[in-house]
Amino acid sequence: MAKGLWAALALALASLSPAAWAQLGDERILAAREALRTGDRATLERLSSARDPHVLDPYVRYWRLSNLLARPEPAPAAELIEFLLYEPDSLLAERLRTDWLRRMARDRDWSGFLQLYPDLREPDAELRCLQRNARLENGDMTVIAEVQDRWMDLVDANSACETVFRTLALAGHITPDQLWWRIRRQTDSRNPAAARATLSWLPVSEAPALAEFERATKSPAAYLDRLPPNFSTTRVGREVALAALTRLAREDVAAARVRFDRIEERFAAEERSYLYAVLGHQGALQGSANASAWFRAAGKIPLSAEQRAWRVRAALRTEDWRGVQAAIEALPANEQALPEWTYWLGRAQAAQGRSTEAQAQFRRVAGQPHFYGLLAAEELGETFAPPTRAGAVTADDIARAESDAGLRRALALYRLDMRTEGMREWNWALRGQDDGFLIAAARVAVRNEIYDRAINTAERTDPQANYDLRFLAPYRQLIEPQVRQQGLDLAWVYGLMRQESRFIVPARSSSGAQGLMQVMPTTGKWVANKIGLRNYQANMLSDPDTNVLLGTSYMRLILEDLDSHPVLASAGYNAGPGRARRWREDRPLEGAIYAETIPFDETRDYVKKVMTNAVIYAAMFEARPQSLKARLGTIAPRMSADR
């Protein structure tokens, strides 16, 4: 009897697929991750000492080594090297090198750092900064010229770079003029506190009191209203006043202009030009009709990339096509070649009767599957036709993808709901792969219902092909009835959902938005009350049916509230309907110009992508050409109550 049971068990085990064998070890993987999370070193040591053929076994060993590197004891160099040799070119090898390099930086082992750093495939901003510091500590003086050459581009550098910057500044390799320029840029940012460190690198005789700088930047209007008459006799006094004006302009550009008018003649010409550039930038963001004039008053003062872009948008908002052309042609070549400025330069040329030049610009981007490519094609008389091309994929391609170690690890991680780790593994596995492998990998992702990886993988292939993968339409039996009930456009809903969640049911944003339609709990509660959904609880957002019901209901409500215009409603879904209303103009405005001049970077990008997605989905659903310009339409003037 016993022999029969053992024989049956052996037969059952022998018949298990590799996937089933892998799942037998899942508990060990999950237990190891929990031990890492809770700091249970003994359990982690015990689990890592075992070996089994589970595809995620290297993770258990990596977690143990990562934990050891975080401890104060000396790093286990021999074990680290062994792992790197055993897992060459893997994501975990890259992550372990990163952990080890950070440990070397903490230990100030700069020679070891420089030996290991070249093996890193994709160093992040922090490690690039630490590498400069390691070189400087080892006497490599070429770092000085490298930092000086890129000083204007390093304003937003990782905080790990501050050690190098401080060392060079205190040694006199960075001049006070360069430091003040950095302080200005940092003050004109979302994190003005970053300027404190740079202030401390100024020579004592040329630095303001930190308390005074804090008053100027935290309460700029009050500070400016109490400026002493002799504030402008020193550079320090003028720079602190500029900092206050800059911070006030970010809050209220009109109030900043009033105060600047009182003291403008007290500043040097370069200082006035700098402040006019700030006013132009903030004026454009706040919808001031004076923005272009302020940019012109700035003269030839160097502008940041963001200021250069908003100089174009300020002219575009008022449909000053000559100004649009001048602002685009003043951009550096790499920025001028971007699709947005290629398209808008063509529009500016066309508006001035220079059709031959305009068509040449449009042809540069026409047909590319993005907002400007579709618009440029329409300027040439071509609406977006239903895509027909599918990329070629062979049985060998499928076999390569299915057997790829990185993709197999990614699938196992997704199965265990370790989505962040799974996404990292998936993306790492795609590096340097050909289109055949990528298409096959995208199909593997679809088969496993990992739709975001399918879309992102397909987007790495020929941009004119694989629309069936790049614009998936899953859950249609769930979504379409809700869309029809709400009276919405199915293509628009899919276009928005693709941008919101990439069709990942458990998607959750850092702000708390959840599900297929990324509904915020407070929004869900408001919508539930509006539509009479009883007993609403925030955890209901994890249910796809409820999530789609609330999301499509919200789309309908804001569409009805915003002139039934999908551009406004898309902006409202992302940033709130109140903002979408305020961003209108006092006159009718072309929908494309409205979208281009949305002041929030995220929302501007979002609206353009949602509307482009909607056109492509409509072409696929309806099997006929579609017009993006028609969908963008014209935005009606704002009401007086919205000002």
Side-chain angles (χ1 to χ4, degrees), residues 481-513:
Q482 299 274 21
V483 171
R484 301 302 179 206
Q485 184 176 349
Q486 302 291 347
L488 298 173
D489 171 23
L490 182 65
W492 179 47
V493 173
Y494 263 100
L496 184 141
M497 197 179 301
R498 181 183 188 271
Q499 190 61 25
E500 285 287 349
S501 68
R502 286 290 203 265
F503 309 111
I504 296 302
V505 170
R508 183 185 292 265
S509 75
S510 58
S511 61

